[in-house]
Amino acid sequence: MPTDPAVPAPEGAPRVARVVVDVPLAHLDRPFDYAVPDELAGQVRAGCRVRVRFAGQLVDGVVLELAEASDSGRKLAPLAKLVSPEPVLTPEVAALARSVAQRWAGTLTDVLRLAIPPRRAAAEKRPPGEAPPPPAPPDPAGFARYPAGPSLLAAVAGGRPARAVWTALPGEDWPARLAELCQAALSGGRGALVVVPDGRDLDRLEAAATASLPAGSFVVLRADAAPDARYRRFLDAARGSARVVLGTRAAVFAPVADLGLVAVWDDGDDLHAEPRAPYAHARDVLLHRAHLASCAAVVAATARTAEAQLLVDSGWAHELAADRATLRAAAPRVQALGEDSELARDPAARTARLPSLAHRVARATLAEGAPVLVQVPRAGYAPGLSCDRCRAPARCAVCRGPLGISPAPGPGGSRVPACRWCARPAATFDCPHCHGTKLRASVVGAARTAEELGRAFPGAPVRVSGRTSGVLPSVPAGPSLVVATPGAEPVAEGGYGAALLLDSWALLGRADLRAGEETLRRWANAATLVRPHGSVVVAADAAHPVVQALVRWDPGWLAERELADRRALGFPPATRMAALSGSPAALAEFLAAARLPAGADLLGPVPEPARPGQEGERERYLVRVPRGEGLALATALAEVQGVRSARKASEHVRVQLDPLELV
């Protein structure tokens, strides 16, 4: 930015700028002091972008803070250039970014790359807008079906740090409820931040906010927006003209002024997991932000994760759920194929792809003139192993990790079951549930579902919604069959008359720690699109705990059971885990230098599939510690990364705290 050297420096202007330089080296993860030249004094502000000379090169940086003097004890190099005086890093977001880097063994530079979008000069030339006046508090009628719902709205409006795990009723207009929470925060003069998994959910939330919030009071930060539009909306939040930010994963660091509420919808969706370092989950960042800002927090979903249940069990958050009578009035009727009456009618129901019950329900619903939703698992799940008798996921007898098929070493080696965590072969198997000794593969076979249904119901139109065919946002009322993969189910006008949940063992049989809760989440998200007292048919054994949770519509019960099992076995979130990935030599060097907490449990190594652009053999270790030692583990791993960076280690080791997948 051009400056006028003839303008004298304001008297008393700070002369030292502490700058975070954009250098991706772990051993340089600290701010550096630079002198503020006379011609830039009074223009440089905390949070603005600058360019500095670092190691002989001009690099980008952000001013973390200004100071009167430096403690470095050396002559300071001057700032090379003021890129823009626009503050893009608020003190609150800077503190959050540093805390996230520490908690997830990352660097501040990595976090700021996620938090600050690329600059667009044209957007900065717009004058700041005026924030609209606060609206009236929302009508509590929308939350009246939940006993503590009106109290939550009142607490948010009053600026109190209320925390809730909200289990939404079937058919709930959740975008409207989240918009009401934002309205409550605005009515109390506070800001709000709401994060959803994807663009379809964001479209629905934006429509609800447009209907209930004052014009200009909110902005939408979406990943697919044009860079100019995204930066313009970011500035609206940073300047305080928009007090509410709605967005997807990257919006967790949005600079919301005077934050009064954070909320996340469907926190079990894997789209909330950040694929870039330091790999922090959006839910965990928002909860950490609520703690730092002492503001209200809401974790909302149709189902419930073990992480959300831990918040309730620990007392950090309260449960927000409807009573059973209200739930029965709103929920569809769920039938499982393993029920005794169905087995008597159709003995092949357990193994048939479209058993007679599903066929009867679909035919009756189409005859009534209503659409039928058919959910099939997404292709591409890695096959795992399960008990051949009861189909429970097979686990290692030593570390309780999932069993999979691995080729034996050497040419012509046979394929043997082995643990995907500790790599121990499973020469024998004894199911702890039914004492079965045989294993079976859990496979996916849903490629021709639409064609099969077209032949079974020749008079009904068949619509397909998914990644390859395109995701439908909605479908009209009227008789039709809608085949969708999980997460791509379109909303039906007036609701679906029925839903068929097929190929259940492709979900339940996955070799994944979260297979049970993820299956219920996907089933519940589909079933909630069915109108009250409609029919849901799930192609699974009625005795399975996940099926029971769906039949009873009790995700809290399954979450409690899941959390208790993980506590007993030492799985997250009862513990914290780190995944270390790299070549065998690099991992050996890394672990030799690591000062892990005393109670750390090292699992592995196991082979890891190569990522795009990677060559050579790769392995992975898991490091498990008690939950209270999580910060110590992150600190120890970050220290090793810094030492290896300073020594210019030739091979990188990928460090990920709290990985979503452990296989």
Side-chain angles (χ1 to χ4, degrees):
M1 169 170 281
T3 59
D4 184 359
V7 178
E11 185 176 353
R15 307 313 299 263
V16 175
R18 294 201 168 98
V19 179
V20 179
V21 293
D22 189 7
V23 176
L25 297 174
H27 69 287
L28 300 177
D29 184 31
R30 62 184 186 277
F32 293 86
D33 288 355
Y34 285 85
V36 179
D38 289 344
E39 63 270 20
L40 298 182
Q43 300 181 62
V44 175
R45 310 183 212 175
C48 71
R49 305 178 202 250
V50 294
R51 299 208 82 197
V52 298
R53 190 161 295 278
F54 191 87
Q57 295 182 325
L58 281 176
V59 297
D60 293 327
V62 178
V63 177
L64 197 61
E65 61 180 349
L66 296 173
E68 297 294 335
S70 173
D71 298 329
S72 65
R74 59 179 176 82
K75 183 178 180 181
L76 302 182
L79 297 175
K81 181 181 179 181
L82 175 63
V83 176
S84 168
E86 184 80 46
V88 292
L89 179 64
T90 64
E92 189 250 345
V93 174
L96 172 67
R98 169 52 70 191
S99 187
V100 167
Q102 292 173 345
R103 182 175 174 81
W104 279 274
T107 65
L108 181 58
T109 300
D110 285 338
V111 180
L112 293 184
R113 285 176 181 164
L114 303 175
I116 304 174
R119 178 177 180 249
R120 291 294 183 270
E124 294 180 354
K125 295 177 181 178
R126 293 188 313 126
E130 291 290 333
D139 186 349
F143 274 99
R145 293 192 294 174
Y146 307 91
S151 299
L152 174 64
L153 283 177
V156 174
R160 299 191 297 275
R163 279 77 186 259
V165 172
W166 172 35
T167 303
L169 282 165
E172 179 64 88
D173 187 2
W174 60 265
R177 302 291 83 78
L178 291 177
E180 289 165 1
L181 286 169
C182 294
Q183 183 180 347
L186 285 176
S187 70
R190 307 287 294 275
L193 171 58
V194 182
V195 174
V196 297
D198 56 33
R200 287 202 316 144
D201 290 333
L202 192 55
D203 290 339
R204 296 181 62 188
L205 182 59
E206 181 180 8
T210 301
S212 60
L213 301 183
S217 65
F218 72 93
V219 292
V220 177
L221 299 181
R222 55 174 70 244
D224 57 354
D228 287 346
R230 181 174 176 82
Y231 189 55
R232 184 173 64 250
R233 296 166 186 171
F234 173 87
L235 289 181
D236 286 341
R239 293 171 173 177
S241 58
R243 304 291 299 277
V244 173
V245 173
L246 315 174
T248 49
R249 181 181 63 228
V252 294
F253 297 104
V256 180
D258 197 12
L259 189 62
L261 167 74
V262 298
V264 58
W265 171 254
D266 200 8
D267 66 298
D269 195 309
D270 57 9
L271 292 175
H272 283 304
E274 177 57 60
R276 295 167 291 180
Y279 316 109
H281 195 282
R283 173 200 57 235
D284 299 334
V285 174
L286 288 175
L287 295 178
H288 195 56
R289 188 169 184 176
H291 169 70
L292 294 176
S294 189
C295 70
V298 176
V299 178
T302 304
R304 187 181 299 178
T305 60
E307 286 79 6
Q309 185 61 38
L310 181 62
L311 298 175
V312 175
D313 282 7
S314 66
W316 194 87
H318 296 284
E319 183 179 41
L320 181 64
D323 58 39
R324 298 304 298 178
T326 304
L327 179 60
R328 282 192 293 270
R333 182 193 178 201
V334 181
Q335 297 173 272
L337 297 181
E339 294 176 354
D340 293 340
S341 59
E342 275 308 309
L343 290 177
R345 185 194 300 262
D346 181 7
R350 289 188 193 273
T351 57
R353 180 90 197 290
L354 189 67
S356 59
L357 172 61
H359 194 279
R360 291 197 312 271
V361 168
R363 187 171 297 280
T365 303
L366 293 172
E368 295 171 358
V372 177
L373 174 64
V374 183
Q375 186 196 69
V376 293
R378 184 181 294 112
Y381 288 133
L385 294 176
S386 59
C387 175
D388 185 62
R389 179 186 294 175
C390 71
R391 295 185 179 180
R395 295 199 171 274
C396 174
V398 178
C399 75
R400 308 305 299 165
L403 296 184
I405 292 291
S406 301
S414 60
R415 294 169 62 83
V416 296
C419 179
R420 288 181 169 171
W421 286 7
C422 69
R424 289 180 174 87
T428 60
F429 173 73
D430 181 15
C431 177
H433 304 283
C434 71
H435 296 289
T437 58
K438 294 183 179 180
L439 294 168
R440 69 185 299 274
S442 305
V443 297
V444 176
R448 300 205 315 252
T449 300
E451 291 85 346
E452 293 174 2
L453 292 173
R455 290 193 296 268
F457 303 96
V462 179
R463 298 181 172 90
V464 180
S465 178
R467 182 184 301 175
T468 57
S469 59
V471 177
L472 305 175
S474 61
V475 294
S480 66
L481 291 159
V482 181
V483 181
T485 53
E489 301 92 347
V491 177
E493 182 181 348
Y496 290 98
L500 312 180
L501 310 177
L502 303 183
D503 298 336
S504 61
W505 291 111
L507 293 174
L508 290 172
R510 292 169 59 201
D512 191 313
L513 175 67
R514 304 175 186 276
E517 73 175 33
E518 175 66 3
T519 299
L520 181 61
R521 186 187 74 81
R522 296 184 177 208
W523 285 350
N525 285 350
T528 194
L529 300 176
V530 178
R531 62 187 61 162
H533 307 299
S535 295
V536 175
V537 177
V538 54
D541 189 344
H544 196 286
V546 177
V547 181
Q548 280 294 303
L550 181 67
V551 170
R552 294 157 46 186
W553 207 280
D554 195 353
W557 169 79
L558 183 69
E560 289 177 2
R561 178 190 175 108
E562 190 78 16
L563 181 59
D565 288 346
R566 295 192 198 177
R567 279 195 176 115
L569 298 173
F571 289 166
T575 61
R576 289 199 72 189
M577 275 193 176
L580 312 178
S581 306
S583 69
L587 286 171
E589 178 185 330
F590 188 101
L591 291 171
R595 295 182 296 177
L596 299 176
D601 186 13
L602 190 64
L603 304 174
V606 295
E608 183 183 66
R611 299 176 183 273
Q614 292 177 341
E615 297 180 357
E617 181 184 0
R618 291 184 62 83
E619 294 179 341
R620 189 200 61 190
Y621 282 91
L622 293 176
V623 185
R624 175 170 55 190
V625 298
R627 188 165 184 84
E629 296 290 329
L631 186 57
L633 174 63
T635 302
L637 298 178
E639 287 178 353
V640 180
Q641 290 286 58
V643 171
R644 287 174 52 80
S645 172
R647 293 177 178 173
K648 300 182 180 179
S650 58
E651 294 182 290
H652 176 67
V653 172
R654 185 176 187 264
V655 175
Q656 183 175 4
L657 268 292
D658 305 324
L660 197 62
E661 297 182 355
L662 297 177
V663 297

